[in-house]
Amino acid sequence: MRVLIDYRPALRGRSGAGEYTHELASALLARACLAPDGHPLDLTLFSSSRKDRLVLAPELRGASTIDLNVPVAVLNLCWHRFGWPPVERLTHRDYDVTHSSHPLLMPARRAARVITIHDLDFLNHPERTHAEIRRDYPALVHRHARAADGILVPSAFTLGEVVRLLNVEPDRVTVCSPGAPDWTPKARPGLRKGYILFLGTLEPRKNVGTLLDAYERLLVAVDQAGGSAHPRRTVPELVLAGRQTPAAAEWLARAARPPLAGHVRAVGYVDPAARHALYDGASTLVMPSLDEGFGLPVLEAMTAGVPVVAANRGALPEVLAGAGVLVDPHSAVDIAFGLRRIIDDEAFAEACARRGLARAAAYRWTDAAARACDAYRKAMVRRAAAGGTR
């Protein structure tokens, strides 16, 4: 089974879609996937950029690579808007499956075409997006999703959204959730010492402004109660970790002013190799996103034994599944209350962490690879039944 995966999201700043793409490719290489005709997986990773080169990490050895020197914006415009050039012509190779790491197709003459839809926030709220995502995704996703031979989604919530909003048959959609990282959790899960951690791209959907409102309420409450006289009511530092978009400027400026000054620390993008240490220093993860197709930091925090406060939106309730605190992301009061429960009640925090560890064990990359292989096989059968063209 010759599979081509678009690896471009993982070239640099691996978070979200990039981390998913990298780990899924690694898991596929570690698993013996077979095509309908019994042939094993032959994986090729595709990249095309004027700036970034595809360098194989040790866990990706065994994959072939295509690394072209074509600008990302130019190739995406041709692929998204004109469906040209087909990957067979561009790479001078044939494939059984082409797998796009985002909701729009990689054009192909004969290969079955699979796409990944991580979420549909760009469709529900295009104002939160920018550049080609705003230009292309809302306008083209309906047509591309219906033309795809298979669709991977990270959660049952996203499956429901794809079926409902894109009018796609459920049997063409496969839930392929990410796996938990191979980390050793804290020796004492949920220990209160440590900072409050937010991890994610600092963009409007992540709701950082309301998080700062909630955190300020905690600080003001401490000041009014006399924080030094009530050590259990002191507030840990808030660490904002993640790539900073233009929208972050307002939040970072606010964090530098009283009463947040000296209490909020922005550390920028954190490399995947350093993320375990970041969680290990945290007492709580807070994820107040307005929408998530999965919420990888929640799974990572549970794996590390860190209790979670998350929004009751999107797939976050599905992923957390009672192992933490759910809050209304539009209410700074509710977010502050959720954080206060973890900060003040050590027994409760440890119980959340233990439930999180058990929940995280249900997510494995080996399972994700098996589901992806199954989706590839079904896509090939569907493509063949359509006569090889759609």
Side-chain angles (χ1 to χ4, degrees):
M1 179 162 51
R2 299 163 300 178
V3 177
L4 178 73
I5 292 181
D6 186 355
Y7 190 75
R8 290 177 297 168
L11 287 181
R12 59 174 172 171
R14 235 170 58 207
S15 58
E19 185 69 1
Y20 183 94
T21 300
H22 176 84
E23 293 295 341
L24 180 60
S26 302
L28 286 169
L29 287 166
R31 179 182 173 82
C33 299
L34 299 178
D37 60 6
H39 286 95
L41 178 73
D42 178 2
L43 184 63
T44 299
L45 303 179
F46 174 86
S47 178
S48 179
S49 173
R50 292 295 296 272
K51 297 179 180 179
D52 301 303
R53 302 274 60 85
L54 199 170
V55 179
L56 284 184
E59 59 269 25
L60 294 177
R61 287 175 188 156
S64 302
T65 61
I66 299 288
D67 188 14
L68 303 181
N69 192 23
V70 179
V72 173
V74 172
L75 183 59
N76 282 352
L77 178 64
C78 292
W79 274 0
H80 298 170
R81 291 288 175 172
F82 310 116
W84 182 91
V87 292
E88 295 93 343
R89 177 172 179 176
L90 189 64
T91 66
H92 305 290
R93 300 183 189 178
D94 288 326
Y95 307 96
D96 298 304
V97 178
T98 62
H99 182 177
S100 171
S101 300
H102 58 70
L104 302 184
L105 293 165
M106 299 173 72
R109 288 196 188 105
R110 291 171 296 276
R113 297 171 299 173
V114 174
I115 61 175
T116 299
I117 299 180
H118 291 282
D119 62 74
L120 287 174
D121 189 66
F122 64 83
L123 188 62
N124 297 320
H125 295 280
E127 73 280 1
R128 295 177 188 164
T129 64
H130 64 283
E132 68 183 50
I133 293 178
R134 178 178 290 192
R135 181 196 70 200
D136 291 344
Y137 285 21
L140 301 176
V141 67
H142 293 83
R143 175 165 59 86
H144 282 236
R146 287 195 292 268
D149 298 294
I151 300 172
L152 298 187
V153 296
S155 63
F157 169 80
T158 304
L159 184 153
E161 292 289 279
V162 167
V163 171
R164 180 175 67 89
L165 296 175
L166 302 183
N167 194 28
V168 171
E169 302 94 330
D171 65 352
R172 287 201 293 120
V173 188
T174 300
V175 176
C176 187
S177 300
D182 184 19
W183 292 345
T184 301
K186 292 184 175 187
R188 187 180 176 190
L191 193 63
R192 255 187 332 112
K193 294 179 180 179
Y195 42 76
I196 298 170
L197 174 64
F198 167 89
L199 177 61
T201 301
L202 273 64
E203 61 183 355
R205 178 165 61 112
K206 301 300 183 179
N207 200 27
V208 178
T210 308
L211 171 59
L212 292 179
D213 292 341
Y215 187 70
E216 184 171 326
R217 293 183 69 89
L218 293 179
L219 290 176
V220 171
V222 167
D223 288 344
Q224 291 175 347
S228 59
H230 300 275
R232 285 186 58 79
R233 291 190 59 83
T234 56
V235 179
E237 178 186 35
L238 174 63
V239 172
L240 303 177
R243 182 173 60 86
Q244 298 170 6
T245 69
E250 175 185 347
W251 303 322
L252 298 180
R254 177 182 173 187
R257 301 190 300 265
L260 298 181
H263 297 280
V264 180
R265 177 163 53 100
V267 298
Y269 170 74
V270 178
D271 187 85
R275 282 211 295 270
H276 188 192
L278 183 71
Y279 285 106
D280 204 45
S283 61
T284 312
L285 174 81
V286 58
M287 195 166 192
S289 304
L290 300 173
D291 188 27
E292 288 289 343
F294 184 82
L296 190 57
V298 169
L299 177 56
E300 291 177 332
M302 291 191 298
T303 306
V306 176
V308 175
V309 176
N312 58 3
R313 294 293 191 276
L316 295 176
E318 173 187 339
V319 177
L320 196 56
V325 180
L326 292 174
V327 295
D328 179 356
H330 296 289
S331 170
V333 172
D334 204 31
I335 297 172
F337 178 76
L339 289 170
R340 178 55 68 194
R341 286 190 71 189
I342 298 293
I343 294 169
D344 281 352
D345 190 337
E346 185 170 342
F348 176 71
E350 291 193 6
C352 287
R354 286 193 298 269
R355 290 195 296 268
L357 287 170
R359 177 60 177 159
Y363 291 96
R364 300 185 301 175
W365 278 113
T366 53
D367 294 336
R371 294 188 184 110
C373 286
D374 187 54
Y376 294 160
R377 287 190 289 263
K378 290 178 179 177
M380 290 171 62
V381 171
R382 188 173 289 110
R383 184 74 164 184
T389 59
R390 292 192 62 170

